[in-house]
Amino acid sequence: MNWDTVINALLLITTIVSTFFAIYYKRKDFQKGIEQTIDISSNITIFTSRDAMVKYLHEMYDKALDSNDVIWGQSISGRNYGDAHGKIVSAASRGVKFKMIFNENAKAINDIAPVFLSINSAEVLYLKDNTIRMQGLSDKEVVFAVSSKTGYNAIAIRDNDIVKAVHLWFDDRFDVNKTRA
């Protein structure tokens, strides 16, 4: 038996296997690192994953500074906020106000509404016709989320005129339904 041939064969096999694993893990790392946020401009960001969107929503709570700011929005189920409880309470301690609409039929599974309901500066409505997922910060920005069978995509808009228009629509919807309740 020629030991040089055996050693060369083992080195070749080791090189092939280690190359395979290096490519496999690099590819996995690349897929994981694929852009989860895409900045189209200073006024538009697209989120290609739920995690990236939720992270941005949490940052929105941090950006809300005081009683001049309002976090407003609608949620279908109230279950996809991640670990936002502390962020919400922290924003409320700075005087931030909240206006939220949740689906009536998801009341039993909603895990974030009770957090808002425990805050004096929060108003919460439950409606049956809530189909749009969005969250805004005053007239500064709004995030629209779209779910699909494969996950969430979202778009953040920071164009003041568009955000103001959406915020006015939301406030009208909120106030009309609040007076009916």
Side-chain angles (χ1 to χ4, degrees):
M1 180 184 299
N2 185 349
W3 287 105
D4 288 339
T5 304
V6 172
I7 291 172
N8 285 336
L10 288 174
L11 286 173
L12 178 62
I13 292 169
T14 304
T15 302
I16 291 170
V17 170
S18 62
T19 301
F20 170 78
F21 279 113
I23 291 170
Y24 173 79
Y25 284 110
K26 189 62 176 172
R27 184 172 175 209
K28 194 172 184 174
D29 186 44
F30 174 75
Q31 288 173 335
K32 182 180 172 187
I34 289 177
E35 196 76 36
Q36 293 184 347
T37 60
I38 303 167
D39 290 319
I40 303 297
S41 71
S42 61
N43 287 335
I44 298 174
T45 301
I46 296 175
F47 304 96
T48 60
S49 73
R50 179 190 171 279
D51 290 340
M53 174 196 68
V54 168
K55 180 180 175 193
Y56 189 85
L57 294 178
H58 289 187
E59 291 169 0
M60 194 180 284
Y61 294 117
D62 293 335
K63 289 185 235 174
L65 300 176
D66 54 32
S67 61
N68 294 319
D69 281 327
V70 178
I71 299 282
W72 50 275
Q74 300 186 149
S75 175
I76 304 298
S77 67
R79 293 180 301 146
N80 293 314
Y81 281 72
D83 189 18
H85 299 71
K87 298 270 187 187
I88 294 166
V89 171
S90 177
S93 72
R94 294 189 303 274
V96 175
K97 296 181 220 99
F98 301 90
K99 280 182 156 180
M100 302 301 292
I101 299 173
F102 297 103
N103 260 14
E104 179 73 38
N105 64 356
K107 206 173 194 177
I109 61 169
N110 188 320
D111 62 357
I112 200 73
V115 177
F116 288 112
L117 288 167
S118 71
I119 297 169
N120 290 336
S121 62
E123 297 178 84
V124 174
L125 291 180
Y126 290 98
L127 302 178
K128 293 180 181 179
D129 65 344
N130 190 25
T131 57
I132 300 172
R133 293 171 175 89
M134 68 177 160
Q135 181 174 293
L137 170 56
S138 301
D139 289 337
K140 301 171 187 175
E141 60 187 324
V142 63
V143 174
F144 291 98
V146 180
S147 75
S148 68
K149 292 179 182 178
T150 59
Y152 276 87
N153 293 302
I155 183 168
I157 300 174
R158 291 175 292 278
D159 178 88
N160 287 49
D161 293 329
I162 294 172
V163 176
K164 283 180 187 177
V166 175
H167 190 186
L168 283 171
W169 170 83
F170 174 84
D171 278 346
D172 286 345
R173 176 175 158 73
F174 192 93
D175 293 342
V176 164
N177 284 288
K178 184 178 172 184
T179 59
R180 291 183 192 162

